[in-house]
Each structure stands twice: as C-alpha cells, then as structure tokens.
Amino acid sequence: MNVLHHLRSLFAPVLAEVAPDRAKVPDYLGMVKPSANAEHGDYQANFAMALGKALGQKPQDVAKAVVAKLPANDVFEPPTVAGPGFINLKLKDTWLAGRVRDLATDQKLGVEAVAKPKTFVIDLSGPNVAKPLHVGHLRSTIIGDSLVRILRFLGHTVVSDNHLGDWGLQFGILIHGYKNFRDDAAFQADPVRELARLYVAINKMFKKDGDDEDGPTDDPVKKVCQEETAKLHAGDPENLGLWQQFMPSCLEMLRPIYERLDVKIDHALGESFYNPLLPGVVEDMIAKGIAFDSKGAIVIPNAKGLVPRTEEEQKKEEPPAILRKRDGAFTYTTTDLATIKHRSVTWKPDAMLYVVGAPQALHFKTVFAQARRWGYDQSEFVHVQFGSMLGPDRKPFGARKGGVVELMDLLDDAGRLSLQKYEENTAARRAVGHKVLELTDAEKHEIGEVVGVGAVKYADLSQSRTTDYVFDLDKMTATDGNTAAYMQYAYARGRAIFREGEIDDSRFRTNPPPVVVSHPTERALALQLLRFPEVVEAAAAEYLPHLITAYLWDLAKCYSGFYVNCPVLKAESPELKDSRLLLVDLVGRVIKQALDLLGIRTVERM
Ligand code: ARG
C-alpha cells in the first residue's frame, strides 16, 4: 500500500465538496506530503493556504472545516491544525502495525503497479566503440540502468537501447592503423588486443596525443584517418569490409564492462544502423520545408526556430544544426532524427528518455524540437541529463591528459580498497572480542567485487543527477555513512541474525506474526518501511535515483536507532521478539530491493 495515496483518497471527497474549482482538487491533494519534521506528525496537508485564497477565507478556518468534514477513520489520530493552517497527521499505531504486517506478505514490498503502464524507450550508455569508455558513458550506463529497473518495477514497459557510436573517426583511426602498422600474428592471436594497441599507437602519432575528436584539423595523421572514415561512409568496399571485421572485436571490448556492471541492454542499434536511412531523412525534411540548403550544406533551424543564412548566424550561442555538410557527410543530428523516427515507428513509446551528459543539452533541444515539427510528436522527449564526474583536482575527468579513465582498472581499485577496508574492519572487531565470520577466499573475492562495484554505482546514484561530483574512491568505499558498503553490511547483519539464531525467515513472509509498536524507534522504523512505495514512485516521476539512496540512508538511521533501543533475540516477550524479527527481515528485504533498483548487489554473509 502507498500510504500517501491512501491519505489523499481520504481527503479527496472533502476537497471535492469544498473547493470552488473542482479541477484544482488534484493540486490540493498533491499538497498532502510526508512531514519534513517528525515533531509535526507523520504527514502534513498544506492545501489550506491555497484553498483559503480561492475561497476568500482564512486558511486556519478552511483547515478546521476540512478536518471537521473528514469521516471518522482508523488511519490517523484526530488531526491538529497548526500555524497558518497546516493540517498535521499522525498515523494510528494500530493502523501502522497492520500495514507493516501486510507488507511482509507482499513480494513487491508495498509498491503497486501503476494504473496506466506506459512504454518508455531509454537511450543509455552510448559509448564510442573502439575507444576506451569515457566516464560520461559510465554515468549514463549506471543512471540509465537504474531508471530501467525502477520503471520496470512499477510495471511500465521499458525498451533499452544502446546508441553506440560505431561509425565515427575511431574507425578511420583503426583502418589507418591496420593498413599500415598491424602485426599480423598479434591480430590472428588476439584481435581485440591488437586493435586496442593500434588505436593507442595512432593516437600517439597525432600532434596532440589523444585528441581524437572529429572536426577540421591541420594534423596530417588525423587528416588521413578522416579520409579513411569518409571512404567508409561512402561505401568503399575495402574499408566497409574492415569495419565489419573489426566490429565484433570492438563489441567484445565492451562486453566485460557491462558484465561486471551487471547491466543488460535490450538493443544496440548504433549510428551505423541508421546510416542507410540518412539520405531519406534529409530529403524528407527538405520536402517538408524543415531543412534548407545553405551554401551547399543542408541545415535545420535551432530549437528557437532560427534559420541560418550567414556565417555569423552559424556562430550564435544557439546555432542551427547541420544535417548534411558541404562535403556530403551526415551528422550526429541527422542520425538522431533517424533514430527518433525508427523508435517511434517500432515501439510507439509514450516517452523517450535520453540519459546523456548535460553538455549535449542544446543538441537534444534542437533534435526534439525538429522531430516534433517533422511529425514525431506522439512521444514525450526527455533529456535526462547529468553533470560531470570530477577528478580529485576538481577538473572533469575527461579534460585530463589521456582523456579517459580505464574503467576496468578503476573497478579493480574500488574492489581492492573495499576488501581492504572490510578486512581492517573485521580485524578490529576480532581484536575487541567480537565474533567474526571466517570466510573463504572466494567469498572474500565476491565481497570485494560486490562492494567495490556497488561503491562506484552508489556514489554516482546518490548525487542529485544534475550536479557535478568528485570521484573519491576512498569516500565511496567507506564502511560508514551513506555508501553502498554501509547498506550491504546492514543487509548482511540482518541475515546473520536469522542464520545464527537458526530462525526460519519464510514464516515471516507467509504467515507473519502481529506487529507490535512498543518504542518510538520501533515506530519510526515501521513508518520508514511503509514509505518505500512513495519513494520509488517519486524517483520514477522525476527520473531521480538519488531519492532512493536518500531513502536508504534514512532507513539505515531508523534501523540503527531501533537496533540500539530494541533488543531482538532478547526481547521482553515472545510476541515482541517475533514482531522485531519481522521488522529486521523487512528491513533486509527493502534494502535488497532498493539496492537492486540501483543495480547494486548484496551478499548474504560478510
Ligand atoms: N555516443 C554519444 C557520445 O559519446 C552518446 C550517444 C547518446 N545518444 C544519442 N541518441 N545521441 O557523445
């Protein structure tokens, strides 16, 4: 059950009766919210100010009148009206206890399937194959995967699609390297490795090492690579053959990363897939009067509708986009328009989400605006943007020399550090006489991996998506605070109670005992458990996974308050012990489920 929905349903008939404009009722209901301050109750209804204005009455009086009209119920204590007209709601302990007990038998932990499921296409990851993965692609993969999981959990249909950059200059680089510098034996033995070597070797020959962004250049080596790319795009059989030969190896380079991140993407329709469709896109947009010839190039207006006619206009802060360059080459924009058409026709989605970094905001603004003019206006388009990951020097990772972080190394470091901290922790506990688990090497390896990868994901997802954040391996692998490790420990500690007490947990899930609310910390924990559905819904509504990590952090705090004050195995009575075991089991299930929505795994023993 979603408590917020339930509370709103109790207010709805009263508001429909009092509001002068019934159309405003949903807005008023939206003002029923969890209390920011627990002293003011569990939930708060704040519509009296707006409603009072509409009625020309004092908000205090309106609040009192609404409260008086509420039918008697067993959900909350008689509401109090505070300040200018806040209605404070405190759930009845008996009701709270009953709902938590209901939660125990619900596989989805109170999260209800949405009434009207939608179809989403989520564009995520989008690495430029043959190049090392950029941290921006890492963020897109982690955030995008979490959104896929959250929306699916709510019952939506989600099609995930990896818009691979598999058609750009990086292939010109590989083709040039292969034609002139390849080591045949090495290529035979391990093509993935040899191609990676060639990529790096050619990059070193550039005037500026690693400057592999496409664009006008006076660098002779880069020029040759661009020519090879142009030949590929023009359909040159030799280069096309090499592209086909290289692609499997390029995809093979990415595979272990996705595996390690535990990310599965339904489709990988990259830029190359759309190549044959691009001339048709341009012709159609010209025919429909959306694209224009400008000195031999085909251009479209920017999102504001500005059509470029002069060089000056092209230099504007919001420049119109080019669909076909004077030399006949198509662009990133053309490909994205073809992609929208394909996705619209194939999946007829209600919404298309693009999980791509903030620097591409202008690109998507233009593409979305022009796609709508073109007739693809049935879907909502959302650029789910995110900020940069900064290095310890607070500069974007991507701007440092080398330009990229070797992701696998980074995950290795995170794993090593996590395991090291885990072992220090264990040693410290052993030293003060605590019982600690004796784990096999395989189990330790697994902990390093699950905690290390979890740390990187959690650190990313716990930031408000749009802000930049500093990549700090030490902080993100900490065993205390709002980190993956802390949540994973909390989960494992709960499992240990059942294991060590030899208690069968299935009883709590199929035939739960009554829940007893006997202590304020017990009540706070019960309430926090019940809020899980609200939070999942809010995270989905705004595409904000950090609402889930914030929830986990609050849950963990409630849990430790409970843990300190409420003995479980040594509870005062068998009823209390059973009730507390149920809470412990539920906390574990909610943590595990919430982490799963973030794409983070747990281990049973640590
Ligand atoms: N490959 C692109 C890049 O590295 C990201 C692709 C994003 N998706 C899209 N449909 N444009 O910038």
Side-chain angles (χ1 to χ4, degrees), residues 45 73 101 108 157 164-165 183 214 222 235 310 490 544 600-601:
N73 65 74
R101 190 186 188 191
K108 299 199 83 175
T157 298
L164 295 170
D183 175 338
D214 209 351
K222 198 161 160 178
T310 63
L544 291 176
I600 297 173
R601 294 185 289 148

Side-chain angles (χ1 to χ4, degrees), residues 299-360:
V299 298
I300 51 171
N302 65 15
K304 286 185 186 151
L306 181 73
V307 183
R309 290 294 180 202
T310 63
E311 296 266 315
E312 279 312 293
E313 280 172 347
Q314 201 46 256
K315 283 191 198 125
K316 284 225 161 80
E317 157 198 6
E318 204 172 302
I322 300 177
L323 287 189
R324 199 175 68 207
K325 294 190 207 159
R326 226 169 292 166
D327 64 4
F330 298 102
T331 65
Y332 187 50
T333 304
T334 329
T335 311
D336 259 325
L337 287 164
T339 307
I340 287 179
K341 177 176 174 181
H342 178 81
R343 289 174 178 167
S344 302
V345 173
T346 313
W347 296 303
K348 302 181 181 58
D350 298 288
M352 295 191 208
L353 312 184
Y354 288 77
V355 187
V356 185
Q360 295 195 27

Side-chain angles (χ1 to χ4, degrees), residues 422-441:
Y422 171 78
E423 294 200 304
E424 282 166 11
N425 221 320
T426 316
R429 283 172 48 225
R430 190 183 282 122
V432 294
H434 282 230
K435 206 173 109 211
V436 295
L437 285 174
E438 294 307 327
L439 299 174
T440 62
D441 283 349

